[in-house]
Amino acid sequence: MSAADLTAGREGPLADTDTRLSRTPRVAVADAALRDRLERIWRTEPGLKGWFGTVDHKEIGKRYLVTAFIMLAIGGIEALVLRLQLAGPNKHLLTPEQYNELFSTHGMTMIFLYAGPVLSGFSNYFFPLWLGARDMAFPRMNALSYWIYLAAALFLYAGPLVGAGPNDGWFNYVPYAEKAFNPGINEDIYALGMVFLGISTSVGAANFIVTAARCRAPGMSINRLPIMVWGTLTASAANLVVIPAVSLAFFLLWMDRNLGTSFFTVAGGGEPLLWQHLFWLFGHPWVYAIVLPAMGMVSDGLPTFSRTPLVGYTLVALSTVATMLLGFGVWVHHMFATGLPGLGLAFFSGASIIITIPSAVAVFAWLATIWLGKPVFTTAFKFFAGMILLFVIGGVSGFMTASVPADWQLTDTYFVVAHLHYVLIGINVFPVCGATYMWFPKMTGRLMDERLGWWNFWTMFLGFNLAFLPMHLTGLLGMPRRIYTYDAGMGFSALNMITTIGSFVFAVGVLMFFWNVIKSRRSGAIAGPDPWSGPSLEWTIPSPPPPYNFAVIPTVASRHPLWEDQLDETENRSSFEEGMTLDEGKEALAVSILDAEPDRILKMPSDTTAPFWLTVATAVLFAGLLGKLWWLAALGGIGAIASLAFWNEPRTKLLEREPDAHEERRNG
Amino acid sequence: MAERIVSRPEALPLGPIGGRGIGWNGMVMLVVAEASLFGYLLFSYYYLAVSNPPGWVLESEPSLKLALPNTFLLLASSVAAWWGERGIRKDDRGQALGGIGLAIAMGAVFAIVQGFEWKDKAYGLGTSSYTALYFVTTGFHMAHVIAGLMILGALWLWTWRGFFSPLRMLPMANGIVYWHFVDAVWLAVFSTYYLSPYLGVGQ
Ligand code: HEM
Ligand SMILES: [Cu+2]
């Protein structure tokens, strides 16, 4: 777009050469002076203010990752206690109520506080690096989404800490969760905490979408995006429209419990199934949201270690989108046993079976990639390849429960517990571990230990299968899920003992993973910028990356910018050394959505504590609602409004407004 | 021999210009999320309406005496806001202040009238699932009206301080779109609660 277009159709005077409104970016080869200047512009101040105020996506990404891994550890310990209780018949380690709280808290922790956020952490750290950008589209919102995630996690954990954790499962069915049957404060904390957490997820989703759409290197048209970007993009698009469903459901539940409404109780004309619809309208897309980005990790990771491009890039990208689109229409498969009309069941059953097709496409693409490539058997590769097997097992058991008659047999048995762990551990935890081995060197500059990695992978892989494969059988034999114990004569005892042993083996594997991370951070071998000879942009910059990521904006000529010489598919080569400098302040580039043509120079916000204070105010608001201290809630609300007003005040530095007359004078 | 390509764009717009800029994309996201929220509220209404026995809708012929004029008032406020925004685009601060000021006044009257509408209801929040949903949906909408009024207030203040020009006005464009959105949502809420019973929904 030229400066003339920009004024076309507008009233008022604007000369073509108005340097206030447009600029021809300087193009140069990156040199030390430029790096120095950018470093000064982009770096986060040391000290408390910098710590609370940073908007650097890498810092935020790391915080997300660390917090999510802590949640994984906590949720894991909870699971081990559950398994101890179930190790043999008639054990009394936990009371039934404690068991209820523990499995519900485990589910909540793993699903909402680990599996989603850990992927956000990776995407936060790597979106700009994969895309050739200097930061996310909205850095302050990025900080906000982390702070709210942290605050909501603390809020949700206030329950278990005072012995009032959620106790109706992670999907929290009414009428169990209604006040009449569950008078404690447990469900109030869970309900409000989930509404609170929803803000974080929504804000993050919006940010990922706009970043993927607008903040890319020139030339990175949408058919050149890494699959991981496709995964996070589709997951975010889904989250944006389905999070409101669950937030609303939890809010209405809170009203039922505290303000005497009857949305979900039959007595007042409410409908318990409304809860299930609202929950699963969200819940099913959400389970895709916590696996699609992880599948993207595999789609980008396997080719890197197989030293060949992903087979069927376009098909895999499309299948990612197709899975999500179909995913909106299958939520009722969680409700097959609720007595809905047969025709509806048939429809949703069909849709759920069809949805396995795009997943199968991805699986075949991965297998073909390994087959055609020259795999390097690193730990990361093992995790990615191991995932394929677990995905197939989890997919098959899912396929089985998608059929209504089978589901009527299997629902609420350990078969479902086996299925969901194959899917969640197989398609989330394994890829996440692989991704950590792969990208840890980029984040820290050091490699993780491969020898320990070997032990790490095999312990996790064997432990996991030992624990969860027999569980299918436990379920087929009829052991219901969510029971705190069982009798000796039922034929479950041996299987449960195996599962418990497997769980502990798996946990030892996870421990090795954490140990490897902690140890390698200090003493791992120095990685250099590109330890795996990877194909994508993040490998062109130093490890760890400087605050500004790219000294000059790269230009992308193909899907595999760093493999162009080997592949020799195109006439042109991408450029990393020479490019736009954008160094007249904290600047980034925006591009057009489809072709990634340069479109605009963005002025990026500097560090600010506004997101932190907004989070504090919102937490006060929710605490007020929880205690029904309306004055406290009002105080929080006012604080939130004040933070928002301060945040959104148009700023000259961001070119959101005209400078004041006196400011003009001051600036000469 | 393969050639290295380097993107060398000509003059690029610097920051947001007019109503365009990356902040606009962010605004679209907000509207999509909020529209979904209201979508689920209305879904709940229709779901409960069809799954309950006849008579669930407590008012089979809701009075339109206040609601209909109020609806027109809110729509008119959108026009006023639009006219105010045009003021900025023409660099006419007076028109902008007038338009936005008028929109604020109309929006405030809408909120007050809606308050009377609530007061006039013979039932309360806890009477039935219908009444609960009525108050929650219109209440959520009211919360958005109040948020919208605060935004319009801020825009008015910023206009008065001379922040905006035809070229630097993205916050204005975004804020006004939010107000249009609040009005559009009301149309959906109004049609559902005040008009659809006349068509026999939930009877
Ligand atoms: C050491 C690893 C793990 C073990 C041993 C384990 C074990 C268990 C056990 C014993 C239950 C309760 C089953 C019941 O009584 O019905 C459970 C439930 C569940 N787990 Fe795990 N789990 C592990 C990791 C994970 C992970 C990583 C995730 C998700 C990413 C996860 C998600 C869930 C969910 C969603 C439930 C259902 C909770 C509910 O019924 O409301 N688990 N798990
Ligand atoms: Cu599902």
Side-chain angles (χ1 to χ4, degrees):
Chain A
M1 190 157 74
S2 75
D5 295 337
L6 187 158
T7 58
R10 273 174 215 291
E11 301 94 321
L14 171 68
D16 270 9
T17 51
D18 195 333
T19 52
R20 204 166 53 85
L21 294 168
S22 73
R23 196 174 86 214
T24 304
R26 187 165 72 91
V27 172
V29 173
D31 58 15
L34 175 64
R35 286 175 196 282
D36 241 36
R37 194 158 51 247
L38 288 171
E39 174 85 31
R40 252 177 289 121
I41 295 172
W42 283 82
R43 112 183 122 206
T44 291
E45 259 179 70
L48 226 51
K49 189 154 169 284
W51 202 84
F52 285 104
T54 185
V55 296
D56 182 338
H57 70 98
K58 297 181 287 299
E59 193 52 45
I60 294 164
K62 273 192 286 193
R63 289 176 187 182
Y64 252 109
L65 287 170
V66 169
T67 314
F69 278 129
I70 291 174
M71 297 319 297
L72 175 68
I74 295 175
I77 293 169
E78 290 158 0
L80 293 180
V81 178
L82 293 173
R83 281 319 315 175
L84 282 179
Q85 163 68 21
L86 295 175
N90 297 320
K91 288 212 175 301
H92 291 290
L93 179 61
L94 297 171
T95 63
E97 171 59 21
Q98 283 170 334
Y99 189 89
N100 281 351
E101 276 189 35
L102 213 55
F103 82 71
S104 306
T105 307
H106 165 72
M108 165 193 94
T109 307
M110 290 302 195
I111 297 268
F112 296 119
L113 301 178
Y114 157 73
V118 80
L119 301 177
S120 297
F122 274 103
S123 293
N124 251 317
Y125 196 103
F126 284 104
F127 250 48
L129 304 187
W130 286 323
L131 297 171
R134 287 206 173 137
D135 205 332
M136 299 280 286
F138 304 115
R140 290 171 295 188
M141 270 168 57
N142 208 16
L144 179 70
S145 80
Y146 173 73
W147 288 122
I148 293 201
Y149 159 50
L150 180 64
L154 294 172
F155 190 97
L156 285 165
Y157 255 90
L161 283 180
V162 301
N167 52 4
D168 291 315
W170 72 284
F171 44 73
N172 210 46
Y173 280 168
V174 293
Y176 303 129
E178 289 283 1
K179 194 129 199 146
F181 307 99
N182 200 338
I185 198 174
N186 312 47
E187 288 301 319
D188 295 315
I189 299 178
Y190 189 36
L192 289 173
M194 286 298 296
V195 178
F196 194 11
L197 182 65
I199 302 172
S200 158
T201 320
S202 301
V203 167
N207 209 352
F208 286 130
I209 296 172
V210 178
T211 304
R214 301 295 309 271
C215 300
R216 316 196 299 256
M220 187 177 277
S221 47
I222 58 162
N223 58 341
R224 292 175 182 165
L225 294 177
I227 298 284
M228 173 72 193
V229 174
W230 278 110
T232 302
L233 182 61
T234 28
S236 301
N239 279 345
L240 195 67
V241 296
V242 299
I243 296 284
V246 76
S247 300
L248 177 64
F250 273 109
F251 185 74
L252 298 183
L253 176 65
W254 177 77
M255 288 189 70
D256 268 10
R257 295 177 53 87
N258 292 284
L259 301 178
T261 58
S262 50
F263 293 105
F264 304 123
T265 50
V266 180
E271 178 55 86
L273 277 187
L274 178 62
W275 169 271
Q276 295 201 21
H277 280 296
L278 287 176
F279 189 91
W280 289 117
L281 260 166
F282 149 83
H284 187 86
W286 174 258
V287 303
Y288 284 126
I290 60 186
V291 299
L292 286 178
M295 289 166 68
M297 291 168 167
V298 177
S299 295
D300 287 338
L302 276 178
T304 301
F305 295 104
S306 301
R307 325 239 32 86
T308 185
L310 178 69
V311 173
Y313 169 92
T314 310
L315 275 176
V316 176
L318 286 178
S319 75
T320 307
V321 178
T323 306
M324 202 31 113
L325 288 177
L326 289 170
F328 285 118
V330 300
W331 78 93
V332 170
H333 65 206
H334 297 272
M335 303 164 60
F336 281 162
T338 55
L340 293 172
L343 187 64
L345 295 189
F347 171 82
F348 283 101
S349 174
S352 307
I353 288 172
I354 288 174
I355 207 170
T356 55
I357 294 173
S359 310
V361 168
V363 168
F364 287 120
W366 297 330
L367 291 177
T369 306
I370 299 178
W371 185 262
L372 296 175
K374 297 183 265 318
V376 189
F377 295 96
T378 57
T379 307
F381 177 86
K382 290 196 199 79
F383 272 108
F384 294 141
M387 170 273 193
I388 302 179
L389 183 69
L390 305 182
F391 184 29
V392 170
I393 298 177
V396 168
S397 58
F399 186 80
M400 287 167 70
T401 49
S403 140
V404 177
D407 184 70
W408 284 351
Q409 284 302 314
L410 299 171
T411 192
D412 276 333
T413 71
Y414 261 83
F415 190 88
V416 171
V417 182
H419 159 69
L420 71 91
H421 285 91
Y422 264 89
V423 178
L424 290 170
I425 296 185
I427 322 184
N428 184 295
V429 178
F430 274 76
V432 161
C433 288
T436 307
Y437 275 90
M438 175 164 170
W439 280 299
F440 180 89
K442 180 53 57 188
M443 294 191 259
T444 62
R446 290 176 186 276
L447 290 161
M448 283 172 72
D449 186 334
E450 281 290 316
R451 248 169 72 90
L452 185 50
W454 189 93
W455 284 99
N456 173 190
F457 170 75
W458 285 111
T459 317
M460 275 177 69
F461 189 77
L462 294 177
F464 172 68
N465 285 297
L466 185 64
F468 290 92
L469 207 55
M471 215 185 251
H472 292 100
L473 203 56
T474 324
L476 287 170
L477 289 177
M479 175 157 161
R481 75 190 276 201
R482 298 177 169 169
I483 51 161
Y484 84 108
T485 193
Y486 49 90
D487 261 342
M490 307 195 71
F492 309 144
S493 306
L495 286 169
N496 271 298
M497 184 45 107
I498 297 174
T499 292
T500 297
I501 294 171
S503 304
F504 276 83
V505 176
F506 179 70
V508 170
V510 176
L511 219 57
M512 289 178 182
F513 172 76
F514 287 142
W515 172 240
N516 203 345
V517 167
I518 293 166
K519 185 181 81 121
S520 306
R521 218 173 74 85
R522 292 159 168 240
S523 59
I526 300 293
D530 186 12
W532 318 117
S533 311
S536 39
L537 291 178
E538 76 270 30
W539 306 114
T540 62
I541 56 175
S543 315
Y548 49 86
N549 298 350
F550 297 89
V552 297
I553 306 299
T555 307
V556 171
S558 77
R559 196 175 288 155
H560 305 286
L562 272 75
W563 284 359
E564 284 161 358
D565 285 329
Q566 286 126 271
L567 298 175
D568 206 21
E569 293 170 333
T570 44
E571 286 287 284
N572 296 327
R573 293 289 181 265
S574 303
S575 165
F576 317 116
E577 302 300 322
E578 188 183 12
M580 287 175 251
T581 56
L582 299 185
D583 56 343
E584 299 182 24
K586 203 172 180 187
E587 291 178 337
L589 182 74
V591 296
S592 63
I593 294 179
L594 296 180
D595 320 318
E597 297 282 351
D599 179 63
R600 188 179 298 277
I601 297 172
L602 302 175
K603 289 285 186 183
M604 304 302 276
S606 34
D607 291 353
T608 161
T609 48
F612 175 76
W613 291 115
L614 177 54
T615 305
V616 171
T618 316
V620 169
L621 168 68
F622 276 93
L625 292 180
L626 181 65
K628 292 204 252 186
L629 304 168
W630 307 127
W631 59 270
L632 190 66
L635 202 68
I638 292 168
I641 292 167
S643 326
L644 276 170
F646 171 76
W647 178 335
N648 284 297
E649 160 126 20
R651 295 202 162 63
T652 327
K653 241 175 94 182
L654 301 179
L655 300 180
E656 287 167 335
R657 52 166 282 206
E658 295 291 342
D660 283 341
H662 68 266
E663 216 171 311
E664 291 232 287
R665 240 176 289 124
R666 191 157 12 102
N667 296 342
Chain B
M1 185 49 209
E3 200 184 324
R4 243 170 230 296
I5 49 165
V6 178
S7 169
R8 295 172 199 278
E10 294 181 12
L12 291 177
L14 197 52
I17 300 212
R20 296 224 246 127
I22 196 161
W24 170 258
N25 301 79
M27 193 63 205
V28 173
M29 297 295 119
L30 178 65
V31 167
V32 169
E34 296 250 54
S36 313
L37 175 63
F38 281 96
Y40 296 117
L41 276 165
L42 298 185
F43 167 82
S44 304
Y45 176 89
Y46 289 108
Y47 184 78
L48 288 180
V50 298
S51 57
N52 268 283
W56 178 73
V57 176
L58 285 189
E59 287 183 282
S60 52
E61 288 176 358
S63 159
L64 298 176
K65 216 172 80 220
L66 286 180
L68 192 63
N70 217 19
T71 301
F72 285 119
L73 181 67
L74 196 61
L75 290 183
S77 79
S78 243
V79 178
W82 169 82
W83 190 69
E85 185 187 348
R86 272 201 63 76
I88 292 292
R89 289 189 190 272
K90 292 195 311 202
D91 218 0
D92 180 344
R93 196 146 66 123
Q95 177 178 333
L97 289 175
I100 297 169
L102 196 61
I104 294 176
M106 290 160 133
V109 172
F110 172 88
I112 293 166
V113 172
Q114 183 62 28
F116 282 111
E117 177 84 7
W118 282 344
K119 240 183 91 203
D120 284 354
K121 293 289 174 199
Y123 44 73
L125 180 68
T127 310
S128 79
S129 62
Y130 166 79
T131 62
L133 209 48
Y134 168 78
F135 282 112
V136 166
T137 312
T138 50
F140 268 41
H141 182 262
M142 181 57 73
H144 284 71
V145 169
I146 290 168
L149 286 175
M150 286 190 208
I151 293 172
L152 289 181
L155 290 176
W156 194 90
L157 210 68
W158 292 336
T159 305
W160 180 69
R161 287 175 61 189
F163 280 14
F164 301 124
S165 71
L167 292 158
R168 298 285 187 222
M169 54 162 295
L170 182 62
M172 171 67 80
N174 278 349
I176 300 291
V177 159
Y178 190 77
W179 187 251
H180 293 329
F181 165 72
V182 169
D183 293 358
V185 164
W186 175 252
L187 283 185
V189 172
F190 176 74
S191 317
T192 300
Y193 282 90
Y194 289 86
L195 299 184
S196 81
Y198 285 97
L199 301 173
V201 175
Q203 305 289 311

